[in-house]
Amino acid sequence: MLVLAVLGVFLSRLLTNYPGARGAPSSTEVALARKLRSWSMPRSARSAKNPFSPSAALLQESARHFADHCASCHGNDGSGATEMGRNLFPRVPDMRSDATQRLSDGELYYVIHNGVRWTGMPAWGDPENDMDSWKLVLFIRHLPHMTPQELHDMERYNPKSVADQEEEKEEEEFLNGGPAPAAPSTHKFPSEKRK
Amino acid sequence: MKKTALILSTTILLSALAFAHGNLAHILGTVVAVTDHSVSVKTADGTVKEVAFDTETHFLKSGSPATARDVVVGSRVVIHAHQNGEKFHAAEIKIGTTTAAQHP
């Protein structure tokens, strides 16, 4: 009875304080969600070893893969400071932080490969043979050490709409001495630049 | 019971998923003034816009990382900035390879 009462008060406060996705999850919610995720993960998955070792070529390949598939929410730098990352509920985590970096390789792979229920994280890769997600684990380990040059290289692989591409071309021409684009010099743009 | 309660509460907590759409203003023009924290840009319509920057702002020149010191009066710039009312804060500043002196 006491448990039900506490749960009732807890849920009531949550629904009152966070009517939508605007508010950030409380530390209690975050702790509960992480505990649930941990419980749902088989022990064998947590202890699984990455079949790949980091190398310059693999890091570049996985960085470009990340830029194309993951950066819309996570940002090229893994900070989660993107339009979607800041507004998803729960928030997209900063993968450079201890909370992510202290997960085992197997746990990181499990999250990428299977996704996380009730969040914005989908399941990625071939269900039977998913080597790309193991390579992404290498990249996630590298996130705290990204260089500006690596981040710049990734920008070329971020998905862009036709309008984005045309505008980027016009801006480059302007920077190289061409005429200013016909559009107003200050205007709204539909998609936020990814970091 | 405890585990069921946790699963139930977490299910309710995490079931909401929403997307929001934001915008960055694009400001193109020629630099008319620079300080340690802002750049003033004269745009094609003749207006001057002051845009703040900080350590989070990305500077690029010819596709390579640059710094605030590369922004000089007369440079052409393309700035992607967050807008709050009439105030702008730069997320990225691209610096041109030509200056007003070369292209009056």
Side-chain angles (χ1 to χ4, degrees):
Chain A
M1 192 61 182
L2 181 62
V3 171
L4 285 175
V6 170
L7 182 63
V9 171
F10 180 64
L11 290 176
S12 170
R13 285 191 59 185
L14 284 175
L15 295 175
T16 305
N17 290 341
Y18 308 124
R22 288 284 176 196
S26 69
S27 56
T28 307
E29 293 172 76
V30 172
L32 279 172
R34 286 184 177 152
K35 183 60 76 178
L36 190 67
R37 185 185 66 193
S38 177
W39 283 346
S40 70
M41 207 176 287
R43 185 169 298 178
S44 59
R46 288 202 292 266
S47 60
K49 299 298 179 194
N50 196 334
F52 298 101
S53 298
S55 68
L58 278 180
L59 285 175
Q60 184 182 65
E61 176 189 336
S62 53
R64 291 173 177 179
H65 184 167
F66 188 91
D68 187 32
H69 290 74
C70 316
S72 297
C73 293
H74 290 285
N76 286 338
D77 61 359
S79 66
T82 66
E83 194 66 28
M84 283 199 283
R86 282 191 289 258
N87 292 290
L88 279 167
F89 192 98
R91 300 289 179 260
V92 170
D94 183 340
M95 295 197 296
R96 303 166 300 182
S97 70
D98 275 356
T100 296
Q101 293 296 325
R102 69 170 171 245
L103 295 175
S104 69
D105 283 358
E107 287 174 311
L108 291 174
Y109 173 83
Y110 191 89
V111 168
I112 300 167
H113 183 67
N114 295 292
V116 182
R117 288 191 186 187
W118 307 306
T119 74
M121 181 65 186
W124 293 99
D126 186 314
E128 304 301 327
N129 181 24
D130 179 16
M131 290 298 107
D132 284 343
S133 292
W134 278 118
K135 295 174 186 174
L136 286 171
V137 171
L138 296 179
F139 176 71
I140 291 169
R141 294 291 183 217
H142 182 63
L143 280 172
H145 316 291
M146 291 290 287
T147 66
Q149 193 57 46
E150 288 172 324
L151 290 169
H152 179 64
D153 178 70
M154 290 176 74
E155 286 182 8
R156 295 188 293 132
Y157 294 86
N158 290 140
K160 292 185 179 71
S161 68
V162 172
D164 286 357
Q165 293 171 39
E166 287 177 354
E167 181 153 31
E168 198 169 280
K169 184 180 172 193
E170 288 178 347
E171 290 179 354
E172 284 302 317
E173 287 174 358
F174 173 76
L175 288 172
N176 290 316
S185 58
T186 302
H187 61 279
K188 293 297 184 184
F189 197 65
S191 61
E192 185 170 355
K193 189 80 178 172
R194 295 164 190 87
K195 280 188 172 182
Chain B
M1 175 64 185
K2 186 181 172 188
K3 197 164 183 174
T4 304
L6 281 173
I7 291 171
L8 175 66
S9 58
T10 309
T11 302
I12 294 170
L13 304 178
L14 304 182
S15 57
L17 189 68
F19 293 87
H21 299 281
N23 299 290
L24 286 180
H26 286 205
I27 301 167
L28 284 72
T30 303
V31 175
V32 293
V34 191
T35 72
D36 288 343
H37 306 289
S38 70
V39 56
S40 297
V41 178
K42 186 174 186 179
T43 62
D45 62 8
T47 61
V48 175
K49 295 187 177 355
E50 183 178 5
V51 185
F53 59 79
D54 60 19
T55 54
E56 295 293 308
T57 303
H58 292 190
F59 292 88
L60 289 169
K61 186 170 186 178
S62 301
S64 297
T67 70
R69 287 191 295 276
D70 293 304
V71 181
V72 296
V73 172
S75 301
R76 283 189 172 196
V77 290
V78 171
I79 302 176
H80 298 175
H82 299 281
Q83 185 172 5
N84 184 6
E86 292 301 308
K87 294 186 175 179
F88 296 96
H89 187 274
E92 180 179 74
I93 298 179
K94 293 181 180 176
I95 306 158
T97 55
T98 57
T99 64
Q102 292 167 284
H103 291 272

PDB file of all heavy atoms in Angstrom, chain A residues 9-35:
ATOM      1  N   VAL A   9       2.295   9.390  -5.890  1.00  0.00           N
ATOM      2  CA  VAL A   9       2.805  10.758  -5.707  1.00  0.00           C
ATOM      3  C   VAL A   9       3.890  11.032  -6.731  1.00  0.00           C
ATOM      4  O   VAL A   9       3.932  12.103  -7.366  1.00  0.00           O
ATOM      5  CB  VAL A   9       3.367  10.933  -4.273  1.00  0.00           C
ATOM      6  CG1 VAL A   9       4.100  12.261  -4.132  1.00  0.00           C
ATOM      7  CG2 VAL A   9       2.230  10.833  -3.258  1.00  0.00           C
ATOM      8  N   PHE A  10       4.758  10.047  -6.925  1.00  0.00           N
ATOM      9  CA  PHE A  10       5.874  10.192  -7.879  1.00  0.00           C
ATOM     10  C   PHE A  10       5.352  10.457  -9.291  1.00  0.00           C
ATOM     11  O   PHE A  10       5.763  11.401  -9.964  1.00  0.00           O
ATOM     12  CB  PHE A  10       6.692   8.897  -7.835  1.00  0.00           C
ATOM     13  CG  PHE A  10       7.872   8.876  -8.760  1.00  0.00           C
ATOM     14  CD1 PHE A  10       8.925   9.761  -8.592  1.00  0.00           C
ATOM     15  CD2 PHE A  10       7.940   7.967  -9.806  1.00  0.00           C
ATOM     16  CE1 PHE A  10      10.020   9.744  -9.443  1.00  0.00           C
ATOM     17  CE2 PHE A  10       9.025   7.937 -10.661  1.00  0.00           C
ATOM     18  CZ  PHE A  10      10.064   8.831 -10.469  1.00  0.00           C
ATOM     19  N   LEU A  11       4.400   9.636  -9.727  1.00  0.00           N
ATOM     20  CA  LEU A  11       3.855   9.791 -11.078  1.00  0.00           C
ATOM     21  C   LEU A  11       3.092  11.095 -11.212  1.00  0.00           C
ATOM     22  O   LEU A  11       3.168  11.775 -12.240  1.00  0.00           O
ATOM     23  CB  LEU A  11       2.949   8.611 -11.410  1.00  0.00           C
ATOM     24  CG  LEU A  11       3.653   7.269 -11.618  1.00  0.00           C
ATOM     25  CD1 LEU A  11       2.640   6.156 -11.852  1.00  0.00           C
ATOM     26  CD2 LEU A  11       4.617   7.348 -12.789  1.00  0.00           C
ATOM     27  N   SER A  12       2.361  11.454 -10.169  1.00  0.00           N
ATOM     28  CA  SER A  12       1.593  12.700 -10.205  1.00  0.00           C
ATOM     29  C   SER A  12       2.513  13.891 -10.392  1.00  0.00           C
ATOM     30  O   SER A  12       2.259  14.789 -11.196  1.00  0.00           O
ATOM     31  CB  SER A  12       0.806  12.828  -8.902  1.00  0.00           C
ATOM     32  OG  SER A  12       0.242  14.108  -8.826  1.00  0.00           O
ATOM     33  N   ARG A  13       3.635  13.895  -9.651  1.00  0.00           N
ATOM     34  CA  ARG A  13       4.592  15.008  -9.774  1.00  0.00           C
ATOM     35  C   ARG A  13       5.203  15.044 -11.169  1.00  0.00           C
ATOM     36  O   ARG A  13       5.392  16.098 -11.756  1.00  0.00           O
ATOM     37  CB  ARG A  13       5.696  14.865  -8.726  1.00  0.00           C
ATOM     38  CG  ARG A  13       5.228  15.228  -7.326  1.00  0.00           C
ATOM     39  CD  ARG A  13       6.400  15.332  -6.393  1.00  0.00           C
ATOM     40  NE  ARG A  13       7.359  16.344  -6.833  1.00  0.00           N
ATOM     41  CZ  ARG A  13       8.524  16.558  -6.245  1.00  0.00           C
ATOM     42  NH1 ARG A  13       8.863  15.852  -5.204  1.00  0.00           N
ATOM     43  NH2 ARG A  13       9.336  17.482  -6.685  1.00  0.00           N
ATOM     44  N   LEU A  14       5.501  13.856 -11.690  1.00  0.00           N
ATOM     45  CA  LEU A  14       6.104  13.804 -13.019  1.00  0.00           C
ATOM     46  C   LEU A  14       5.179  14.374 -14.070  1.00  0.00           C
ATOM     47  O   LEU A  14       5.557  15.197 -14.897  1.00  0.00           O
ATOM     48  CB  LEU A  14       6.438  12.361 -13.383  1.00  0.00           C
ATOM     49  CG  LEU A  14       7.654  11.754 -12.723  1.00  0.00           C
ATOM     50  CD1 LEU A  14       7.768  10.292 -13.109  1.00  0.00           C
ATOM     51  CD2 LEU A  14       8.883  12.516 -13.162  1.00  0.00           C
ATOM     52  N   LEU A  15       3.921  13.926 -14.048  1.00  0.00           N
ATOM     53  CA  LEU A  15       2.977  14.346 -15.083  1.00  0.00           C
ATOM     54  C   LEU A  15       2.654  15.823 -14.947  1.00  0.00           C
ATOM     55  O   LEU A  15       2.376  16.505 -15.929  1.00  0.00           O
ATOM     56  CB  LEU A  15       1.711  13.492 -15.004  1.00  0.00           C
ATOM     57  CG  LEU A  15       1.940  12.012 -15.333  1.00  0.00           C
ATOM     58  CD1 LEU A  15       0.673  11.196 -15.109  1.00  0.00           C
ATOM     59  CD2 LEU A  15       2.419  11.838 -16.766  1.00  0.00           C
ATOM     60  N   THR A  16       2.691  16.338 -13.724  1.00  0.00           N
ATOM     61  CA  THR A  16       2.406  17.756 -13.511  1.00  0.00           C
ATOM     62  C   THR A  16       3.593  18.607 -13.966  1.00  0.00           C
ATOM     63  O   THR A  16       3.429  19.625 -14.620  1.00  0.00           O
ATOM     64  CB  THR A  16       2.145  18.022 -12.014  1.00  0.00           C
ATOM     65  OG1 THR A  16       1.110  17.145 -11.605  1.00  0.00           O
ATOM     66  CG2 THR A  16       1.710  19.459 -11.788  1.00  0.00           C
ATOM     67  N   ASN A  17       4.776  18.148 -13.607  1.00  0.00           N
ATOM     68  CA  ASN A  17       5.968  18.941 -13.912  1.00  0.00           C
ATOM     69  C   ASN A  17       6.367  18.850 -15.379  1.00  0.00           C
ATOM     70  O   ASN A  17       6.933  19.777 -15.929  1.00  0.00           O
ATOM     71  CB  ASN A  17       7.144  18.473 -13.051  1.00  0.00           C
ATOM     72  CG  ASN A  17       6.940  18.837 -11.595  1.00  0.00           C
ATOM     73  OD1 ASN A  17       6.130  19.707 -11.291  1.00  0.00           O
ATOM     74  ND2 ASN A  17       7.635  18.154 -10.716  1.00  0.00           N
ATOM     75  N   TYR A  18       6.116  17.705 -16.011  1.00  0.00           N
ATOM     76  CA  TYR A  18       6.578  17.498 -17.373  1.00  0.00           C
ATOM     77  C   TYR A  18       5.425  17.069 -18.264  1.00  0.00           C
ATOM     78  O   TYR A  18       5.256  15.896 -18.572  1.00  0.00           O
ATOM     79  CB  TYR A  18       7.664  16.422 -17.404  1.00  0.00           C
ATOM     80  CG  TYR A  18       8.790  16.678 -16.425  1.00  0.00           C
ATOM     81  CD1 TYR A  18       9.130  15.731 -15.483  1.00  0.00           C
ATOM     82  CD2 TYR A  18       9.477  17.882 -16.458  1.00  0.00           C
ATOM     83  CE1 TYR A  18      10.167  15.970 -14.595  1.00  0.00           C
ATOM     84  CE2 TYR A  18      10.504  18.123 -15.574  1.00  0.00           C
ATOM     85  CZ  TYR A  18      10.847  17.166 -14.636  1.00  0.00           C
ATOM     86  OH  TYR A  18      11.853  17.399 -13.762  1.00  0.00           O
ATOM     87  N   PRO A  19       4.594  18.018 -18.674  1.00  0.00           N
ATOM     88  CA  PRO A  19       3.433  17.641 -19.488  1.00  0.00           C
ATOM     89  C   PRO A  19       3.806  17.137 -20.878  1.00  0.00           C
ATOM     90  O   PRO A  19       3.039  16.499 -21.527  1.00  0.00           O
ATOM     91  CB  PRO A  19       2.639  18.947 -19.572  1.00  0.00           C
ATOM     92  CG  PRO A  19       3.650  20.029 -19.359  1.00  0.00           C
ATOM     93  CD  PRO A  19       4.668  19.457 -18.421  1.00  0.00           C
ATOM     94  N   GLY A  20       4.987  17.417 -21.356  1.00  0.00           N
ATOM     95  CA  GLY A  20       5.409  16.960 -22.680  1.00  0.00           C
ATOM     96  C   GLY A  20       6.863  16.581 -22.631  1.00  0.00           C
ATOM     97  O   GLY A  20       7.327  16.012 -21.648  1.00  0.00           O
ATOM     98  N   ALA A  21       7.585  16.931 -23.685  1.00  0.00           N
ATOM     99  CA  ALA A  21       9.005  16.595 -23.746  1.00  0.00           C
ATOM    100  C   ALA A  21       9.889  17.794 -23.435  1.00  0.00           C
ATOM    101  O   ALA A  21      11.096  17.728 -23.597  1.00  0.00           O
ATOM    102  CB  ALA A  21       9.336  16.053 -25.132  1.00  0.00           C
ATOM    103  N   ARG A  22       9.292  18.913 -23.021  1.00  0.00           N
ATOM    104  CA  ARG A  22      10.066  20.133 -22.787  1.00  0.00           C
ATOM    105  C   ARG A  22      11.009  20.023 -21.596  1.00  0.00           C
ATOM    106  O   ARG A  22      12.122  20.479 -21.624  1.00  0.00           O
ATOM    107  CB  ARG A  22       9.132  21.318 -22.569  1.00  0.00           C
ATOM    108  CG  ARG A  22       8.424  21.769 -23.823  1.00  0.00           C
ATOM    109  CD  ARG A  22       9.367  22.540 -24.715  1.00  0.00           C
ATOM    110  NE  ARG A  22       8.734  22.910 -25.965  1.00  0.00           N
ATOM    111  CZ  ARG A  22       9.399  23.308 -27.035  1.00  0.00           C
ATOM    112  NH1 ARG A  22      10.714  23.369 -27.006  1.00  0.00           N
ATOM    113  NH2 ARG A  22       8.782  23.622 -28.136  1.00  0.00           N
ATOM    114  N   GLY A  23      10.529  19.439 -20.518  1.00  0.00           N
ATOM    115  CA  GLY A  23      11.363  19.362 -19.325  1.00  0.00           C
ATOM    116  C   GLY A  23      12.384  18.241 -19.446  1.00  0.00           C
ATOM    117  O   GLY A  23      12.163  17.266 -20.147  1.00  0.00           O
ATOM    118  N   ALA A  24      13.490  18.416 -18.761  1.00  0.00           N
ATOM    119  CA  ALA A  24      14.501  17.354 -18.737  1.00  0.00           C
ATOM    120  C   ALA A  24      14.103  16.310 -17.705  1.00  0.00           C
ATOM    121  O   ALA A  24      13.518  16.646 -16.679  1.00  0.00           O
ATOM    122  CB  ALA A  24      15.855  17.949 -18.390  1.00  0.00           C
ATOM    123  N   PRO A  25      14.388  15.036 -17.963  1.00  0.00           N
ATOM    124  CA  PRO A  25      14.091  14.004 -16.970  1.00  0.00           C
ATOM    125  C   PRO A  25      14.848  14.275 -15.663  1.00  0.00           C
ATOM    126  O   PRO A  25      15.970  14.771 -15.693  1.00  0.00           O
ATOM    127  CB  PRO A  25      14.595  12.719 -17.627  1.00  0.00           C
ATOM    128  CG  PRO A  25      14.738  13.022 -19.073  1.00  0.00           C
ATOM    129  CD  PRO A  25      15.027  14.490 -19.166  1.00  0.00           C
ATOM    130  N   SER A  26      14.202  13.937 -14.550  1.00  0.00           N
ATOM    131  CA  SER A  26      14.870  14.126 -13.256  1.00  0.00           C
ATOM    132  C   SER A  26      15.963  13.082 -13.101  1.00  0.00           C
ATOM    133  O   SER A  26      16.015  12.092 -13.843  1.00  0.00           O
ATOM    134  CB  SER A  26      13.859  13.979 -12.130  1.00  0.00           C
ATOM    135  OG  SER A  26      13.438  12.630 -12.059  1.00  0.00           O
ATOM    136  N   SER A  27      16.818  13.307 -12.115  1.00  0.00           N
ATOM    137  CA  SER A  27      17.890  12.336 -11.869  1.00  0.00           C
ATOM    138  C   SER A  27      17.315  10.972 -11.499  1.00  0.00           C
ATOM    139  O   SER A  27      17.886   9.929 -11.834  1.00  0.00           O
ATOM    140  CB  SER A  27      18.820  12.850 -10.772  1.00  0.00           C
ATOM    141  OG  SER A  27      18.079  13.125  -9.609  1.00  0.00           O
ATOM    142  N   THR A  28      16.148  10.973 -10.828  1.00  0.00           N
ATOM    143  CA  THR A  28      15.506   9.708 -10.465  1.00  0.00           C
ATOM    144  C   THR A  28      15.065   8.957 -11.717  1.00  0.00           C
ATOM    145  O   THR A  28      15.271   7.739 -11.839  1.00  0.00           O
ATOM    146  CB  THR A  28      14.271   9.978  -9.576  1.00  0.00           C
ATOM    147  OG1 THR A  28      14.664  10.794  -8.493  1.00  0.00           O
ATOM    148  CG2 THR A  28      13.670   8.683  -9.078  1.00  0.00           C
ATOM    149  N   GLU A  29      14.460   9.694 -12.657  1.00  0.00           N
ATOM    150  CA  GLU A  29      14.020   9.062 -13.905  1.00  0.00           C
ATOM    151  C   GLU A  29      15.208   8.484 -14.669  1.00  0.00           C
ATOM    152  O   GLU A  29      15.136   7.374 -15.204  1.00  0.00           O
ATOM    153  CB  GLU A  29      13.304  10.088 -14.788  1.00  0.00           C
ATOM    154  CG  GLU A  29      11.994  10.578 -14.239  1.00  0.00           C
ATOM    155  CD  GLU A  29      11.469  11.729 -15.085  1.00  0.00           C
ATOM    156  OE1 GLU A  29      10.969  11.475 -16.171  1.00  0.00           O
ATOM    157  OE2 GLU A  29      11.604  12.883 -14.651  1.00  0.00           O
ATOM    158  N   VAL A  30      16.292   9.268 -14.714  1.00  0.00           N
ATOM    159  CA  VAL A  30      17.475   8.818 -15.442  1.00  0.00           C
ATOM    160  C   VAL A  30      18.033   7.545 -14.795  1.00  0.00           C
ATOM    161  O   VAL A  30      18.358   6.566 -15.485  1.00  0.00           O
ATOM    162  CB  VAL A  30      18.556   9.923 -15.467  1.00  0.00           C
ATOM    163  CG1 VAL A  30      19.862   9.394 -16.044  1.00  0.00           C
ATOM    164  CG2 VAL A  30      18.061  11.116 -16.277  1.00  0.00           C
ATOM    165  N   ALA A  31      18.108   7.558 -13.478  1.00  0.00           N
ATOM    166  CA  ALA A  31      18.642   6.387 -12.770  1.00  0.00           C
ATOM    167  C   ALA A  31      17.757   5.165 -13.012  1.00  0.00           C
ATOM    168  O   ALA A  31      18.256   4.053 -13.248  1.00  0.00           O
ATOM    169  CB  ALA A  31      18.743   6.694 -11.282  1.00  0.00           C
ATOM    170  N   LEU A  32      16.432   5.365 -12.965  1.00  0.00           N
ATOM    171  CA  LEU A  32      15.501   4.253 -13.201  1.00  0.00           C
ATOM    172  C   LEU A  32      15.656   3.690 -14.610  1.00  0.00           C
ATOM    173  O   LEU A  32      15.708   2.473 -14.807  1.00  0.00           O
ATOM    174  CB  LEU A  32      14.060   4.741 -13.017  1.00  0.00           C
ATOM    175  CG  LEU A  32      13.532   4.835 -11.592  1.00  0.00           C
ATOM    176  CD1 LEU A  32      12.170   5.517 -11.585  1.00  0.00           C
ATOM    177  CD2 LEU A  32      13.417   3.454 -10.985  1.00  0.00           C
ATOM    178  N   ALA A  33      15.735   4.607 -15.583  1.00  0.00           N
ATOM    179  CA  ALA A  33      15.842   4.173 -16.976  1.00  0.00           C
ATOM    180  C   ALA A  33      17.128   3.394 -17.201  1.00  0.00           C
ATOM    181  O   ALA A  33      17.141   2.369 -17.892  1.00  0.00           O
ATOM    182  CB  ALA A  33      15.778   5.386 -17.898  1.00  0.00           C
ATOM    183  N   ARG A  34      18.235   3.884 -16.603  1.00  0.00           N
ATOM    184  CA  ARG A  34      19.514   3.183 -16.797  1.00  0.00           C
ATOM    185  C   ARG A  34      19.499   1.811 -16.124  1.00  0.00           C
ATOM    186  O   ARG A  34      20.056   0.847 -16.645  1.00  0.00           O
ATOM    187  CB  ARG A  34      20.655   4.038 -16.258  1.00  0.00           C
ATOM    188  CG  ARG A  34      20.939   5.214 -17.185  1.00  0.00           C
ATOM    189  CD  ARG A  34      22.124   6.029 -16.758  1.00  0.00           C
ATOM    190  NE  ARG A  34      22.359   7.088 -17.745  1.00  0.00           N
ATOM    191  CZ  ARG A  34      22.916   8.253 -17.475  1.00  0.00           C
ATOM    192  NH1 ARG A  34      23.320   8.519 -16.244  1.00  0.00           N
ATOM    193  NH2 ARG A  34      23.087   9.140 -18.421  1.00  0.00           N
ATOM    194  N   LYS A  35      18.862   1.746 -14.970  1.00  0.00           N
ATOM    195  CA  LYS A  35      18.781   0.468 -14.270  1.00  0.00           C
ATOM    196  C   LYS A  35      17.958  -0.524 -15.086  1.00  0.00           C
ATOM    197  O   LYS A  35      18.325  -1.698 -15.239  1.00  0.00           O
ATOM    198  CB  LYS A  35      18.150   0.693 -12.891  1.00  0.00           C
ATOM    199  CG  LYS A  35      18.069  -0.538 -12.019  1.00  0.00           C
ATOM    200  CD  LYS A  35      19.436  -1.139 -11.743  1.00  0.00           C
ATOM    201  CE  LYS A  35      20.223  -0.359 -10.710  1.00  0.00           C
ATOM    202  NZ  LYS A  35      21.535  -0.997 -10.421  1.00  0.00           N
TER     203      LYS A  35
END
